[in-house]
Amino acid sequence: MKQKIVFATNNAHKLEEVAAILGENYEVLSLREIGCHDDIPETADTFSGNAIQKAQYIKEHYGYDCFADDSGLEVDVLGGAPGVFSARYSGGGSEANMDKLLHNLTEKSERGAQFRTVIALLVGEETHLFEGVVRGTITHERRGEGGFGYDPIFVPEGYDLTFAQLGSEIKNRISHRAKAVEKLAEYLCKQLKIEN
Ligand code: IMP
């Protein structure tokens, strides 16, 4: 029988991505599937703090082993901003967030940045963290229609196109999230082998 594990998200895209990697050995349950419709607190000032906070909430209130993720964009010349505030940077949606970021980088030639994801896994009494980073640069204007968030203004290292132009197949191979999920999967699959 497959071992059940909860991914503290209802984001269908993230669930699909993770289930595709873990699916053979684990049944990955969403928050909806465990009957959780709560507004889970996310008030820490680091990605790892938020990921741990979300995972701990599920463990405490629903009793499942689980993992949670938190990610964002960190711009070098802005001291790592917007960071944990990536989703709420402008107070508006993604378009307003990109406008604000491009405005804050006007006249700046140093445009290095990175996307970062941290996944917190809570199994039994243990907490494990997995991190994924993709380095790149911020463009001067939006390019491409695909993706979400800051994708139209981020060009990953080794490419000339933005995440929005590259498409999901390439993005899902090289992204911060993919890297963190791969590390999580490697750990979980190793654990299964030890247990069986
Ligand atoms: P989350 O923690 O994965 O929900 O990400 C928080 C915010 O960071 C999102 O709302 C986006 O603004 C930004 N972000 C995270 N990952 C990505 C990505 O892959 N592309 C574009 N923006 C992202």
Side-chain angles (χ1 to χ4, degrees):
M1 204 174 71
K2 282 188 188 179
Q3 202 154 314
K4 285 187 178 161
I5 191 151
V6 173
F7 182 10
T9 187
N10 277 323
N11 180 316
H13 170 77
K14 287 187 188 177
L15 279 162
E16 205 177 291
E17 194 176 322
V18 169
I21 299 180
L22 293 178
E24 215 177 292
N25 301 309
Y26 285 88
E27 185 180 348
V28 182
L29 302 173
S30 68
L31 290 176
R32 206 171 295 121
E33 284 169 301
I34 61 163
C36 171
H37 303 282
D38 312 350
D39 200 4
I40 302 173
E42 209 175 318
T43 54
D45 57 7
T46 58
F47 295 126
S48 54
N50 277 331
I52 291 169
Q53 190 180 24
K54 287 189 266 187
Q56 272 175 348
Y57 181 94
I58 297 305
K59 185 96 177 159
E60 268 169 38
H61 292 79
Y62 294 84
Y64 287 96
D65 283 344
C66 66
F67 57 90
D69 71 331
D70 196 42
S71 17
L73 178 66
E74 299 175 312
V75 179
D76 300 348
V77 80
L78 301 178
V84 289
F85 300 107
S86 292
R88 318 161 253 164
Y89 189 42
S90 64
S94 291
E95 294 301 322
N97 287 342
M98 285 190 281
D99 285 340
K100 179 170 176 179
L101 188 60
L102 290 175
H103 176 76
N104 288 344
L105 292 179
T106 314
E107 318 260 309
K108 298 253 194 300
S109 55
E110 161 50 38
R111 303 182 77 89
Q114 61 186 28
F115 275 117
R116 193 148 70 91
T117 293
V118 176
I119 295 176
L121 169 72
L122 262 57
V123 269
E125 298 304 307
E126 292 178 24
T127 301
H128 298 272
L129 295 175
F130 306 92
E131 186 177 84
V133 170
V134 58
R135 291 283 312 165
T137 50
I138 303 297
T139 55
H140 288 268
E141 70 291 300
R142 292 164 171 72
R143 284 198 256 132
E145 303 293 326
F148 74 102
Y150 299 87
D151 280 349
I153 59 169
F154 182 84
V155 174
E157 235 167 49
Y159 294 82
D160 295 321
L161 301 174
T162 65
F163 262 167
Q165 293 172 308
L166 282 170
S168 58
E169 201 189 309
I170 293 179
K171 186 187 167 192
N172 291 345
R173 236 184 312 122
I174 64 170
S175 79
H176 46 314
R177 201 168 297 104
K179 287 177 182 170
V181 169
E182 269 160 32
K183 289 181 190 170
L184 168 78
E186 201 179 307
Y187 176 82
L188 284 174
C189 293
K190 217 181 319 162
Q191 285 305 107
L192 268 191
K193 279 192 198 126
I194 292 168
E195 284 165 20
N196 295 325

